[in-house]
Amino acid sequence: MHQKTVQQTLLMLYFLLSYNGVEGQKKLSKLEDAELEKQLKSLNKPAVKIVKMKPTLSRIKKDSTFSSGTNRSSSTIWSKDGGCPFGTIPVKRITRDDLIRLRRMPPPEDVTFEDEYDVSNNDSEPNGRYISSQGYKVVAIVGLPYNPNSKFAGAGMDTVLYNPQVNGQQHGGSRLKIQKGLDILQVGWRVDPTLYGDTDTRFFIHFQAGKIHCFNTLCPSFVQVNYDVPLDSSFMDTISQRGGKHWGAEVYIDRDLAGNWWLLVSQNFTRVGFWPQSLFTDLKSFATNVDWGGVVYSPPGVPEPPMGSSYFPIEDTSYDAYCTDLIIVNEKGKIIQVDKAITHTDNPYKVEFIQLSYGAKHKYFILYGGPGESTHV
């Protein structure tokens, strides 16, 4: 789709689906109804061109010195089956209900680490702040010290899958986030009845460019090139059990040499699709912020829901929600395994960045979670 058409469509979505706690509950006007129908036709029209790209990625796939499949602490979900039956692709058809539910979505996460943090490998308490212009998200995260001169071409993680209980407009999940200025990219898993219409743990992606933002393929921003990985697929057949089998999802965001940002999954770094450079202002170049961990949301006056495994971490990966195999890619394409970072958590949750024994080696883990405010563990 032509860049101008994409931008017009995104602006239409922004104004049509902008959050309003009162208006979001009203019936659609005739104008809104017509706009929804127009948008559905735009999103669901048959593809007329097959995208074939072999990008020159920023080196994640080329680097043979790192593989998240080495010394895995969980079983991968991407190789659970062989994808779709031969000759079929799981293209999601956007429905009217999908777009109506988006009207009830809260504003996107818009936060960044302050630049006056002490670097920590969990030997000391963090002493900085996590700044949010919206002020409503609750997080338990680990990030890199903010430096406006940082240049990140990518990042990745292996995040263990859980299914914390949420209700109504609550949501919770785990995500990798990269950011520069007002431009943000996220990938991970999410339990979100408002977004999905159910309480399954599902794969998600999200982009934000200024005031415009979008999940998955609900707007024509993400160019999908591999349909074997549905962007809202349910993980309910591979949910981890505390003290039992763990399942993990390996996800990466990587910038190619043309400035497009690619979504990769699995230890084979399978390309799923990309966000074109033309969508962004700040992320036309490299990212300056990276963080990983858990996030939840509750509407004002509603107790916070459980996060992660729904229990506080006890420094045992058989029981804790965690992210591991954290990597960043610098502007020269070098893959760096993260061993020093900053922690931040909001009440009533906990987070740790800690090195634990795994087999004959040691690995760094983000351990996070908690029961929330509505239950006690």
Side-chain angles (χ1 to χ4, degrees):
M1 184 178 293
H2 191 274
Q3 178 182 349
K4 183 176 180 181
T5 304
V6 171
Q7 291 175 337
Q8 289 174 343
T9 304
L10 292 175
L11 284 171
M12 182 190 303
L13 268 178
Y14 171 68
F15 289 115
L16 179 63
L17 302 176
S18 291
Y19 177 79
N20 184 305
V22 177
E23 295 296 328
Q25 305 299 324
K26 291 184 178 180
K27 293 183 178 180
L28 298 178
S29 68
K30 290 184 178 180
L31 175 61
E32 290 171 326
D33 187 78
E35 292 290 356
L36 276 180
E37 290 301 322
K38 182 178 180 181
Q39 191 59 36
L40 284 172
K41 290 180 180 180
S42 174
L43 292 170
N44 289 321
K45 66 182 181 180
V48 295
K49 183 178 180 181
I50 297 175
V51 178
K52 292 183 178 181
M53 296 188 66
K54 291 185 178 180
T56 305
L57 297 176
S58 68
R59 304 26 149 197
I60 282 185
K61 184 158 183 149
K62 292 182 178 180
D63 194 303
S64 60
T65 62
F66 174 80
S67 172
S68 63
T70 303
N71 294 321
R72 288 192 51 81
S73 48
S74 59
S75 298
T76 181
I77 52 89
W78 305 118
S79 61
K80 181 175 181 291
D81 55 42
C84 296
F86 179 76
T88 65
I89 54 175
V91 179
K92 175 179 171 59
R93 184 173 181 83
I94 306 302
T95 68
R96 181 185 178 87
D97 286 343
D98 290 332
L99 296 184
I100 290 176
R101 285 198 306 272
L102 282 181
R103 294 171 58 85
R104 303 180 64 228
M105 292 291 290
E109 183 181 0
D110 183 16
V111 289
T112 185
F113 274 120
E114 192 174 44
D115 58 355
E116 296 182 355
Y117 271 97
D118 286 339
V119 177
S120 171
N121 60 0
N122 213 46
D123 292 332
S124 60
E125 293 295 322
N127 61 359
R129 293 184 300 136
Y130 195 61
I131 303 170
S132 170
S133 62
Q134 303 292 353
Y136 77 102
K137 292 280 185 178
V138 177
V139 297
I141 57 174
V142 165
L144 301 177
Y146 174 69
N147 182 338
N149 298 317
S150 294
K151 294 181 180 180
F152 302 118
M157 69 173 180
D158 179 3
T159 177
V160 72
L161 303 170
Y162 276 100
N163 182 241
Q165 181 179 356
V166 299
N167 298 289
Q169 285 186 271
Q170 295 176 329
H171 66 246
S174 170
R175 87 289 186 275
L176 156 66
K177 185 184 77 171
I178 70 169
Q179 177 178 1
K180 182 178 181 181
L182 297 178
D183 292 349
I184 299 172
L185 293 173
Q186 298 187 68
V187 58
W189 61 263
R190 188 177 180 100
V191 183
D192 192 336
T194 304
L195 178 61
Y196 295 115
D198 59 34
T199 56
D200 285 4
T201 298
R202 292 183 177 272
F203 184 39
F204 88 95
I205 60 171
H206 182 265
F207 98 97
Q208 182 175 350
K211 293 183 178 180
I212 299 171
H213 67 100
C214 186
F215 284 95
N216 303 329
T217 55
L218 292 175
C219 61
S221 55
F222 183 79
V223 181
Q224 192 163 359
V225 302
N226 181 347
Y227 288 93
D228 285 338
V229 183
L231 293 178
D232 58 356
S233 54
S234 173
F235 292 144
M236 293 306 291
D237 290 338
T238 51
I239 293 299
S240 302
Q241 302 297 322
R242 295 187 77 244
K245 187 173 181 61
H246 274 192
W247 293 91
E250 301 150 310
V251 293
Y252 309 88
I253 298 173
D254 189 32
R255 183 179 186 270
D256 68 21
L257 298 187
N260 304 308
W261 292 92
W262 282 82
L263 170 66
L264 314 176
V265 300
S266 86
Q267 57 186 319
N268 296 321
F269 307 108
T270 301
R271 294 189 296 268
V272 179
F274 66 95
W275 294 272
Q277 185 194 49
S278 59
L279 290 173
F280 304 105
T281 299
D282 296 320
L283 279 178
K284 283 184 180 295
S285 59
F286 298 99
T288 55
N289 298 77
V290 180
D291 64 67
W292 306 260
V295 60
V296 297
Y297 166 78
S298 273
V302 178
E304 302 292 352
M307 177 190 286
S309 69
S310 305
Y311 289 76
F312 293 124
I314 59 173
E315 299 186 2
D316 186 336
T317 57
S318 296
Y319 293 86
D320 296 340
Y322 63 81
C323 305
T324 191
D325 293 324
L326 310 179
I327 64 165
I328 55 171
V329 183
N330 67 17
E331 77 277 16
K332 296 180 180 179
K334 181 179 179 181
I335 293 177
I336 301 171
Q337 299 191 47
V338 178
D339 58 6
K340 291 186 178 181
I342 299 157
T343 63
H344 173 86
T345 186
D346 296 317
N347 288 327
Y349 308 99
K350 293 183 179 180
V351 66
E352 296 182 56
F353 181 60
I354 189 171
Q355 189 179 46
L356 297 174
S357 297
Y358 186 75
K361 297 184 178 181
H362 288 77
K363 293 177 64 172
Y364 282 93
F365 290 83
I366 300 170
L367 310 177
Y368 71 92
E373 295 178 328
S374 57
T375 60
H376 298 280
V377 177

